[in-house]
Amino acid sequence: MTDMTSDPRSARRAFQELLHAQRVWDVDLPAFDAAAAPRTPLPLFHAWFAQAVAARQAEPHTMTLATVDGEGHPDVRTLMLHDADDRGWHFATHSTSAKGRQLTAHPHAALGFYWPALGRQVRVRGPVTACTPDESRADLHVRSTGALASALVGRQSEVLGSCEELERASDAAWDRARAEPEADVASWTRYVVEPREVEFFQGDARRQHVRLRYRRDGGEWTRELLWP
């Protein structure tokens, strides 16, 4: 048997065969009547999120966050949604992390949710605002002990010397989080993406996907269908 690691052409063919064998939406997809959608995007997002949970979508509260760095180059990562309300879509991180620094320099972002159990995506774009220190502290302390310990470790996105160094810092942070559940982390910041555009995408087996975009102009929302 050929060792694919020593034969780049075989490794590439194996990867392509594996890639092309994958299927999307191997489930019955729900219909989406865009004409019956609410006038504003938030109620629809809440409804779709609840339906994703009911469909047993794994980790429906995770999302991608896209930002740009100081040179205008895009960056993306996956993190958790902390809330979605009339102000916008909320998440939190260290202000000293890569994404925190990027948001300070360029306070605009895009979010992406993907719920393959229903063939659905939601995209959110808009300016980003840092919440108050009190809101950020409350956000941190409502979470688990592990989340507090992770925040206490800090140094997110910095170069790590060794796994042993992380283990020592993490153990110390866990001890402190258990002993001081109200411990403060000055860099922990809650952010909110204030939506200017929100798009809802419903996949269709025949590729007649439904895309409904909400655009906000001032205080009013405009709804429009997009070609798939």
Side-chain angles (χ1 to χ4, degrees):
M1 182 176 179
T2 302
D3 181 359
M4 291 188 296
T5 60
S6 61
D7 185 346
R9 289 177 298 178
S10 295
R12 182 168 183 268
R13 284 197 300 271
F15 169 74
Q16 289 179 328
E17 290 173 1
L18 183 63
L19 177 63
H20 297 158
Q22 305 310 303
R23 296 293 178 263
V24 295
W25 307 329
D26 194 18
V27 295
D28 292 331
L29 299 178
F32 174 40
D33 182 5
R39 293 185 300 103
T40 61
L42 187 62
L44 183 56
F45 179 81
H46 286 165
W48 274 28
F49 181 83
Q51 291 163 15
V53 173
R56 299 185 180 277
Q57 171 63 58
E59 300 183 352
H61 59 316
T62 57
M63 60 187 183
T64 55
L65 166 68
T67 56
V68 295
D69 65 17
E71 297 178 345
H73 298 155
D75 203 351
V76 67
R77 74 287 288 165
T78 301
L79 71 171
M80 289 192 301
L81 176 70
H82 287 205
D83 199 1
D85 59 16
D86 290 336
R87 294 166 60 190
W89 276 250
H90 298 241
F91 64 93
T93 188
H94 292 280
S95 59
T96 53
S97 68
K99 53 186 173 294
R101 295 193 304 271
Q102 290 167 2
L103 289 169
T104 297
H106 301 284
H108 286 78
L111 304 175
F113 295 84
Y114 179 43
W115 300 319
L118 297 168
R120 286 176 172 172
Q121 300 179 52
V122 180
R123 301 168 58 210
V124 182
R125 300 175 66 200
V128 179
T129 301
C131 296
T132 67
D134 286 345
E135 288 178 293
S136 296
R137 280 192 291 271
D139 177 274
L140 179 62
H141 295 139
V142 77
R143 303 179 70 207
S144 66
T145 301
L148 175 58
S150 178
L152 286 167
V153 171
R155 303 187 65 177
Q156 190 176 49
S157 306
E158 295 182 17
V159 175
L160 175 65
S162 69
C163 292
E164 291 76 17
E165 184 180 355
L166 172 60
E167 184 176 356
R168 289 192 299 270
S170 180
D171 288 345
W174 270 92
D175 290 342
R176 185 182 175 195
R178 294 188 184 100
E180 303 177 44
E182 297 302 316
D184 192 18
V185 180
S187 61
W188 189 257
T189 305
R190 181 161 172 152
Y191 296 91
V192 57
V193 179
E194 302 173 3
R196 294 295 181 267
E197 292 185 7
V198 184
E199 181 189 326
F200 294 83
F201 172 103
Q202 174 61 67
D204 177 81
R206 298 183 61 193
R207 302 300 191 265
Q208 296 176 9
H209 313 309
V210 179
R211 296 178 60 188
L212 175 64
R213 180 172 65 187
Y214 290 80
R215 287 189 299 106
R216 186 160 64 181
D217 183 10
E220 299 297 324
W221 286 100
T222 298
R223 296 182 305 173
E224 52 199 5
L225 291 173
L226 303 177
W227 282 86

